[in-house]
Amino acid sequence: MIIIMEPGATKEQINKVVEHLESLDFKININYGEVLTVIAAIGDKRLVQPHSLMSFDGVREIKSIQDPFKLASRESQKEDTVVEFSNGVKIGGKNRPVVIAGPCSVEENIDGLLEVAHAAKEMGAQFLRGGAFKPRTSPYDFQGLEEKGLKYLAQAREETGLLVVTEVMDTLDLPLVCDYADVIQVGARNMQNFKMLKAIGKTNKPVILKRGPAAGIKEFLLAAEHIMYNGNPNVILCERGIKGFDSSYTRNVLDLAAVGVIKKYSHLPIIVDPSHATGRRYLIEPMSKAAIVAGADGIMMEVHNNPDKAWSDGAQSLTIPQFKRLMKHISKLMEVLESEDLTEDIVSYAK
Ligand code: PEP
Ligand code: MN
């Protein structure tokens, strides 16, 4: 439920309401707006009589949250969530879309990873991606270097200052992955691994939650809700394509409308991964541009020093020169959008 406080309600009045709800085991999210303070309280509504809450000083109105995803819903938080990093990088809100680039898997040859990382840094990307634990469809495919891969990523971070994004596939590996990663990734296949979502919720690590290949928007946001409900608000959603009926030309169907839908119904940032969405290198640049125009808070793409020899997902990895070209074009696109004041439209049209 949402408790809207009177304009000018005091900190003390707000605290009294919060203490009361917390004593009934409600989870609280407070939004201090310019005029009104709004308290989102998630818990067992039967324990609270609305009229008893209305008798607290400073309470103006009580509403129920209609969406099944409560904490992730824009009803409970009007302002966009912005996920911030210690080096000042921010994802979400009015910030420029971020770029996450790197190979699908961290491979034995660390020089290749470092080459990609340096190119990413040089071109203005903020994050290096690379899987050390790989969710592969076949058990015969490369499964990842595990901790050695995490160490390689840490070395690349050390050399470039890029933040590191890497996937966690099992709750048991979570502490290890958290030790190395700046952002943990929950892969599409694990979007509904509820036990892992719960464990991630108990950390404070920023997390990229990828949309399951057959998940609706509601299921996607409810998966985010599991993380938030357990205490971690730093969720970044990632649209990476959903299953279609024709996989002969693209691996998945990129649902770009999901960006607008998510912005309307949720305050969480959403990024787009055109590599996994299309499975085709030549589609990464046009779909990256489209994602940015659609209002995405970032793009994540696979880049490899030698995609033909990549240990996974080479066909959807850019070469370094292709990546550099894409980055130049994205930067020109951003200049046009910003100089024509179009970014505001992109972010606000849906709300
Ligand atoms: C990946 O990012 O390499 C990956 C496996 O992605 P997804 O979970 O979207 O398939
Ligand atoms: Mn991949």
Side-chain angles (χ1 to χ4, degrees):
M1 97 191 106
I2 296 172
I3 299 108
I4 303 167
M5 302 299 288
E6 294 285 4
T10 64
K11 264 245 147 66
E12 207 187 347
Q13 289 171 336
I14 296 166
N15 287 346
K16 281 218 165 112
V17 174
V18 169
E19 276 164 25
H20 175 64
L21 290 165
E22 280 181 342
S23 74
L24 298 170
D25 274 348
F26 275 72
K27 305 228 178 213
I28 305 294
N29 184 12
I30 310 180
N31 270 287
Y32 296 98
E34 267 171 45
V35 184
L36 295 172
T37 294
V38 177
I39 304 169
I42 317 297
D44 187 348
K45 266 197 293 197
R46 289 168 304 181
L47 298 174
V48 193
Q49 301 297 334
H51 60 268
S52 74
L53 262 189
M54 281 305 289
S55 70
F56 278 71
D57 288 338
V59 172
R60 178 193 179 111
E61 200 183 339
I62 296 168
K63 286 187 181 171
S64 350
I65 303 173
Q66 301 299 325
D67 292 324
F69 38 87
K70 308 286 177 192
L71 294 166
S73 168
R74 215 179 257 290
E75 287 183 274
S76 70
Q77 183 181 314
K78 287 269 166 292
E79 294 79 29
D80 295 317
T81 283
V82 175
V83 179
E84 283 194 53
F85 296 86
S86 53
N87 64 356
V89 169
K90 296 186 179 121
I91 306 185
K94 292 190 165 54
N95 296 292
R96 254 196 180 204
V98 296
V99 176
I100 305 168
C104 177
S105 303
V106 180
E107 301 172 7
E108 207 46 74
N109 169 19
I110 190 174
D111 294 338
L113 178 72
L114 294 174
E115 197 183 334
V116 171
H118 282 287
K121 179 68 186 178
E122 180 196 329
M123 299 311 293
Q126 295 82 0
F127 298 85
L128 174 68
R129 61 145 291 147
F133 292 91
K134 292 305 302 175
R136 304 308 301 281
T137 304
S138 163
Y140 303 108
D141 289 336
F142 175 54
Q143 306 291 309
L145 293 182
E146 305 194 344
E147 187 165 8
K148 189 177 186 188
L150 297 174
K151 289 200 162 113
Y152 283 7
L153 287 167
Q155 187 176 329
R157 169 175 50 210
E158 187 94 345
E159 285 193 18
T160 60
L162 291 172
L163 297 157
V164 161
V165 178
T166 196
E167 178 159 354
V168 62
M169 278 170 52
D170 192 306
T171 308
L172 288 175
D173 300 322
L174 184 60
L176 178 74
V177 177
C178 282
D179 273 351
Y180 288 92
D182 298 291
V183 183
I184 47 178
Q185 174 175 313
V186 175
R189 294 159 187 81
N190 271 310
M191 187 201 83
Q192 286 187 316
N193 181 340
F194 298 116
K195 209 163 172 191
M196 192 166 83
L197 299 180
K198 188 172 173 182
I200 291 171
K202 293 190 190 306
T203 75
N204 215 31
K205 264 288 165 199
V207 47
I208 290 178
L209 175 67
K210 295 188 112 185
R211 181 178 181 181
I217 303 267
K218 189 161 84 183
E219 291 158 310
F220 190 17
L221 287 170
L222 280 169
E225 189 79 6
H226 274 270
I227 299 173
M228 299 176 83
Y229 181 74
N230 284 286
N232 185 351
N234 302 311
V235 181
I236 300 145
L237 301 165
C238 178
E239 164 61 42
R240 46 75 75 205
I242 47 178
K243 283 267 172 254
F245 55 83
D246 182 4
S247 57
S248 23
Y249 296 94
T250 60
R251 189 171 171 183
N252 289 296
V253 177
L254 175 56
D255 181 7
L256 273 184
V259 174
V261 176
I262 297 276
K263 292 222 168 273
K264 182 170 172 62
Y265 291 97
S266 177
H267 50 85
L268 294 173
I270 174 156
I271 64 169
V272 169
D273 171 350
S275 284
H276 292 88
T278 66
R280 302 286 186 276
R281 187 177 303 143
Y282 77 95
L283 290 171
I284 296 177
E285 177 164 331
M287 292 304 104
S288 295
K289 290 175 181 159
I292 285 173
V293 173
D297 297 299
I299 43 177
M300 169 154 78
M301 83 267 312
E302 291 180 333
V303 182
H304 197 280
N305 60 309
N306 186 358
D308 293 341
K309 294 266 159 60
W311 289 11
S312 59
D313 285 351
Q316 59 186 45
S317 301
L318 294 174
T319 62
I320 292 176
Q322 285 167 340
F323 167 71
K324 289 189 171 176
R325 201 182 77 140
L326 173 146
M327 289 298 279
K328 280 191 195 133
H329 292 175
I330 293 289
S331 147
K332 280 192 194 156
L333 175 64
M334 282 313 303
E335 274 168 36
V336 174
L337 292 173
E338 283 167 355
S339 70
E340 299 295 328
D341 249 358
L342 290 168
T343 51
E344 188 57 31
D345 288 348
I346 291 165
V347 179
S348 60
Y349 67 91
K351 292 184 197 165

